[in-house]
Amino acid sequence: MFKRNFKSDIESEIFHAISNCCNETKIECYAIGGFVRDLIIGKNLAKDIDILVVGSGIEIAKLTAKRLKIGSKITVFKNFGTAMFKYNGYDVEFVGTRKESYNKSSRNPIVKPGTLDDDLNRRDFTINTLGISLNKNSWGDLLDKFNGITDLENKIIKTPLEPRQTFSDDPLRMLRAARFSSQLNFKIDINSFNGLISEKERIKIISPERISEEINKIIMTSKPSVGFKILESTGLLKIIIPELTDLKGIEEIEGQKHKDNFYHTLEVLDNICLETENLWLRWAALLHDIGKAPTKQFVKKIGWTFHGHELKGSKMVYKLFKRLNLPLNNKLKYVQKIIYLSSRPIVLSNNNITDSAVRRLIYDCNEDIDDLLTLCEADITTKNPLRFKKYLNNFKLVRDKIKIVEERDSIRNFQPPVSGEEIMNYFKIKPSKEIGIIKEYIKNSILDGKIQNNKESAKLLMIKKGESLGLKNNAIE
Ligand code: ATP
Ligand code: MG
């Protein structure tokens, strides 16, 4: 089976090299884990190969690297008993069979060399325990201690041993369960699912960067709602991103209901995943409504309102990113900006789309304006086909208008046509608040369409505004 499934000559070369080394040393070796899983379901995109060695992983890694003539390029992690090398785009990692013992108070297991059985027992899911023999006499045979192949066929995620123990030992596995379910579109076995519920609190011992790595992986799947629904229904989401679970539920007062903003959010996220691979735009979609929970209000005669939720939501992102150890640089700013501006195109499309409103939006959003509109389009979750079409068309009109205004007025990456320096030189003044006032006045006049976006018009306006502030061009006097 295995022989037929090589996807490339390079894979074949790597596996034959390993196989020869196993034979020479008479050490058992298997391809194991994700590589085998994905190979069997025919979905492999990943180029990392895990090799399980019943003995010293480092030794086989060294021998294989030598055989592939890249002996010097191997990286050895002595403490972990592992070694890896890169070969023609593949990452090949070797690990010796090990036994892990967990101590509840410590986050790190005690790792000792162990038998093949010990090693398979410590793995997270049956579908990840599958191995393929690389030894000559059993080449291509499947190693399947836990009947993982059946779970793979039935699309089931199940822990090899008792779920509670497995999740308590390494709580990251709980997020991996949701992630694999989302990536592969597999169901979680009922006992394992109950294990998630009962061990959820243990997630608190996992470092934020490991948590966000898994969340990012869920977000990058083609339908992340699958993973997030698991996180929500097991109670894990409330612990790691309560801002999202706070959006849950529908309230009714005086016969007026609002929509469930949590499930709406997941729909928006799934929608945007059809349009973009940009992790941060996907994050913006996930968080675009988080300001709705703290701003929700029922106003008599008006109904449910979420006034200012865009600003509130964008402000909440900082704390959330900091807590999850997500980047606090331009990625954060980007997500905040998209959320803050998320309602602007709707407001625009509901009114007469004026040039000045479009110019202001381009000015505020700059190079991210296409992303903003992608979010707005993903945000249309109405089930009424006529309305859906109408809303989508409204955004198309906004997009068209943006294009026209942009080509004509070049507002994107707006540079003030008159610099502070020029204002100071003209009026022979030192840095002062008047310069800011003049610059702002020119900018607003351009955005409002009162003058054109060019130096000539801006300079005339500068003189006029300067004079109204009592400044004079001393050079002329
Ligand atoms: P992918 O590479 O697509 O994320 P994978 O299954 O290869 O999926 P890795 O993190 O590369 O996942 O790990 C390789 C293998 O190591 C897994 O298939 C699994 O057998 C084992 N493994 C990884 N992390 C854990 C864990 N936290 N607990 C138990 N076993 C794990
Ligand atoms: Mg892997």
Side-chain angles (χ1 to χ4, degrees):
M1 166 178 83
F2 188 38
K3 274 170 257 177
R4 286 201 306 273
N5 275 331
F6 280 134
K7 286 184 311 309
S8 71
D9 291 346
I10 300 162
E11 273 179 23
S12 167
E13 214 183 315
I14 295 169
F15 285 119
H16 280 106
I18 298 170
S19 183
N20 286 326
C21 298
C22 302
N23 257 42
E24 272 168 21
T25 52
K26 300 204 167 33
I27 290 177
E28 257 180 83
C29 277
Y30 300 88
I32 190 111
F35 180 83
V36 177
R37 179 195 68 222
D38 292 347
L39 185 76
I40 294 172
I41 54 180
K43 171 190 160 123
N44 192 15
L45 297 170
K47 289 206 163 177
D48 47 322
I49 302 175
D50 288 300
I51 303 296
L52 181 61
V53 179
V54 187
S56 165
I58 296 174
E59 187 189 340
I60 297 292
K62 281 183 178 163
L63 289 172
T64 309
K66 213 165 154 190
R67 201 172 266 274
L68 291 169
K69 304 197 169 50
I70 49 155
S72 59
K73 295 207 176 124
I74 172 170
T75 315
V76 175
F77 304 95
K78 246 201 174 126
N79 292 347
F80 297 100
T82 63
M84 63 95 53
F85 59 71
K86 287 184 188 296
Y87 188 72
N88 283 325
Y90 284 81
D91 280 4
V92 191
E93 182 158 355
F94 294 76
V95 56
T97 44
R98 55 172 65 183
K99 187 183 171 76
E100 289 179 355
S101 17
Y102 291 87
N103 178 336
K104 228 178 166 159
S105 58
S106 155
R107 289 168 202 194
N108 301 316
I110 302 160
V111 181
K112 289 189 194 139
T115 63
L116 180 60
D117 250 17
D118 291 333
D119 194 281
L120 297 174
N121 288 348
R122 69 158 184 101
R123 289 181 183 264
D124 50 3
F125 305 111
T126 59
I127 57 167
N128 287 344
T129 61
L130 290 166
I132 291 174
S133 172
L134 299 176
N135 290 81
K136 281 253 150 71
N137 51 1
S138 54
W139 170 260
D141 286 359
L142 192 68
L143 170 74
D144 185 9
K145 179 178 175 190
F146 296 104
N147 206 8
I149 198 85
T150 308
D151 291 336
L152 207 51
E153 277 160 12
N154 294 332
K155 301 180 175 244
I156 296 288
I157 291 167
K158 187 164 122 190
T159 58
L161 302 180
E162 209 277 307
R164 291 185 61 171
Q165 193 63 49
T166 304
F167 294 141
S168 172
D169 282 350
D170 178 1
L172 186 74
R173 293 168 182 162
M174 298 194 277
L175 301 187
R176 285 173 61 91
R179 191 253 289 187
F180 286 122
S181 178
S182 209
Q183 269 179 341
L184 304 167
N185 201 16
F186 279 25
K187 293 264 175 300
I188 298 180
D189 152 79
I190 182 72
N191 288 328
S192 297
F193 190 84
N194 288 332
L196 294 175
I197 295 174
S198 56
E199 296 309 310
K200 59 175 183 280
E201 294 292 330
R202 294 277 295 155
I203 199 65
K204 292 178 180 164
I205 69 163
I206 298 295
S207 69
E209 49 277 8
R210 292 182 79 204
I211 290 179
S212 49
E213 207 181 308
E214 287 300 325
I215 298 286
N216 284 345
K217 284 185 179 174
I218 294 177
I219 294 178
M220 287 314 288
T221 64
S222 54
K223 203 175 170 202
S225 62
V226 173
F228 280 103
K229 281 179 186 167
I230 292 166
L231 295 181
E232 193 281 317
S233 55
T234 51
L236 282 158
L237 193 61
K238 196 172 169 52
I239 301 171
I240 55 182
I241 316 184
E243 293 87 345
L244 286 174
T245 49
D246 286 349
L247 295 175
K248 261 194 74 185
I250 299 172
E251 267 190 84
E252 181 172 348
I253 296 182
E254 294 176 2
Q256 297 222 44
K257 287 188 199 169
H258 62 79
K259 65 183 166 209
D260 184 309
N261 284 305
F262 176 69
Y263 291 104
H264 163 71
T265 290
L266 294 187
E267 258 188 275
V268 177
L269 179 59
D270 283 350
N271 284 345
I272 211 161
C273 291
L274 299 171
E275 304 299 328
T276 180
E277 291 288 312
N278 175 350
L279 171 66
W280 304 106
L281 183 53
R282 290 179 174 206
W283 262 108
L286 180 65
L287 303 180
H288 82 285
D289 269 349
I290 53 173
K292 281 194 173 170
T295 57
K296 182 164 93 175
Q297 248 190 328
F298 184 81
V299 183
K300 268 198 175 303
K301 293 204 179 103
I302 293 178
W304 291 102
T305 65
F306 304 92
H307 275 309
H309 77 85
E310 302 86 351
L311 176 63
K312 179 77 191 170
S314 71
K315 285 189 173 161
M316 288 162 74
V317 182
Y318 173 78
K319 251 190 171 164
L320 194 156
F321 267 39
K322 196 165 162 54
R323 194 180 68 232
L324 289 176
N325 217 347
L326 286 162
L328 299 178
N329 53 18
N330 57 339
K331 309 291 184 216
L332 167 73
K333 287 211 183 90
Y334 166 88
V335 174
Q336 286 178 316
K337 178 162 94 175
I338 298 278
I339 296 174
Y340 177 57
L341 297 174
S342 59
S343 298
R344 286 269 294 276
I346 305 169
V347 176
L348 243 172
S349 72
N350 284 344
N351 296 308
N352 266 339
I353 312 175
T354 64
D355 282 11
S356 65
V358 172
R359 271 192 295 267
R360 283 202 176 269
L361 186 61
I362 302 173
Y363 176 79
D364 289 336
C365 207
N366 262 333
E367 70 271 14
D368 301 317
I369 194 145
D370 293 325
D371 290 356
L372 178 67
L373 278 151
T374 303
L375 172 61
C376 290
E377 285 154 359
D379 202 4
I380 310 174
T381 58
T382 172
K383 299 291 168 283
N384 176 329
L386 284 179
R387 256 190 230 162
F388 182 87
K389 228 175 142 182
K390 186 179 130 196
Y391 295 158
L392 202 61
N393 194 47
N394 284 350
F395 287 126
K396 188 174 175 314
L397 294 178
V398 176
R399 276 191 193 270
D400 291 347
K401 189 84 184 184
I402 286 171
K403 209 161 166 238
I404 295 169
V405 172
E406 234 204 306
E407 273 165 17
R408 194 185 57 210
D409 301 344
S410 41
I411 300 295
R412 215 183 267 215
N413 296 317
F414 180 85
Q415 296 295 333
V418 176
S419 69
E421 196 109 323
E422 285 168 294
I423 300 171
M424 288 194 286
N425 282 342
Y426 184 84
F427 291 113
K428 297 278 176 295
I429 52 172
K430 296 221 153 57
S432 59
K433 72 172 194 296
E434 280 79 7
I435 296 156
I437 295 172
I438 295 172
K439 279 179 82 174
E440 189 67 14
Y441 187 72
I442 294 172
K443 181 196 90 187
N444 283 327
S445 302
I446 292 170
L447 294 180
D448 290 339
K450 289 182 184 145
I451 64 163
Q452 287 194 334
N453 186 12
N454 62 38
K455 196 155 195 125
E456 212 176 315
S457 320
K459 208 150 180 203
L460 285 174
L461 198 69
M462 168 194 88
I463 295 167
K464 209 169 125 202
K465 185 68 185 171
E467 283 174 355
S468 81
L469 293 170
L471 301 176
K472 287 197 181 89
N473 178 349
N474 295 324
I476 294 171
E477 270 187 342

